[in-house]
Amino acid sequence: MSIDTATRTWTVEIPAPAAMKSVNKQEHWQAAARYRRAWRETAWARYAAAKLPQGLSRIRVEVELRFTDGRKRDAPNYHYHVIKPIVDALQPERRVKKPKGGIRVERGWGVVPDDCAEFVELREPRIGPVVPKGRYPFGLVVLTVTDLSGGSDV
């Protein structure tokens, strides 16, 4: 993690908990939900370890996907399975009632009150440099969060 105090920017590296899936990969909804939950939990743990601030009123989020090989990929195809759960983990923790009873906890760090456009400016994701498979078996996501709470739209 690095911190730039002049513009209040934080960079968090999130190792992929499983191979990064694009929207082109069709699977059963339960398997997809488990996959997205793994991403959200991993992101939440990395935000906690990085001690990201909580309670900001507006942020800009930039996402860089780094794979273990140099194949051509279309970054927006990774929004639903990879990017969305990572951004979801920026909002506060939620407790959701399950249809058949019980409660499901959706981890969140509380950087912003919600992950809607009012609080989060999400930039177009991009593909970054290749990372070593030995260190990041499934790849890496580099998330850059910039505080826009002061009204500055840098």
Side-chain angles (χ1 to χ4, degrees):
M1 178 191 85
S2 63
I3 299 174
D4 178 351
T5 55
T7 57
R8 290 183 42 108
T9 299
W10 300 267
T11 302
V12 181
E13 292 186 348
I14 305 168
M20 289 194 238
K21 295 179 186 174
S22 78
V23 292
N24 298 328
K25 169 80 172 144
Q26 299 295 321
E27 61 186 353
H28 190 272
W29 68 268
Q30 286 178 321
R34 281 191 298 273
Y35 180 82
R36 289 190 307 273
R37 185 175 304 118
W39 270 102
R40 186 174 181 145
E41 298 263 338
T42 301
W44 173 83
R46 298 302 291 201
Y47 300 157
K51 295 185 170 90
L52 281 185
Q54 296 173 312
L56 299 178
S57 61
R58 183 156 173 76
I59 59 173
R60 176 184 305 123
V61 176
E62 297 174 49
V63 179
E64 184 177 85
L65 305 168
R66 297 182 181 180
F67 294 89
T68 58
D69 60 48
R71 289 186 289 154
K72 284 183 73 171
R73 292 180 171 88
D74 188 9
N77 285 349
Y78 294 87
H79 187 274
Y80 182 66
H81 290 298
V82 177
I83 299 167
K84 183 174 179 358
I86 289 172
V87 174
D88 284 347
L90 291 168
Q91 64 185 338
E93 184 174 285
R94 295 184 337 158
R95 298 185 185 291
V96 180
K97 280 187 173 182
K98 292 182 179 181
K100 295 182 179 179
I103 301 284
R104 179 181 74 242
V105 175
E106 294 180 349
R107 295 277 187 207
W109 188 245
V111 176
V112 286
D114 194 9
D115 65 344
C116 66
E118 179 182 347
F119 305 109
V120 177
E121 177 188 310
L122 181 60
R123 292 283 173 97
E124 187 74 21
R126 62 184 181 275
I127 304 293
V130 173
V131 293
K133 190 169 187 153
R135 184 164 183 197
Y136 303 105
F138 302 115
L140 176 72
V141 174
V142 178
L143 188 85
T144 303
V145 177
T146 303
D147 182 10
L148 301 177
S149 297
S152 170
D153 232 17
V154 180

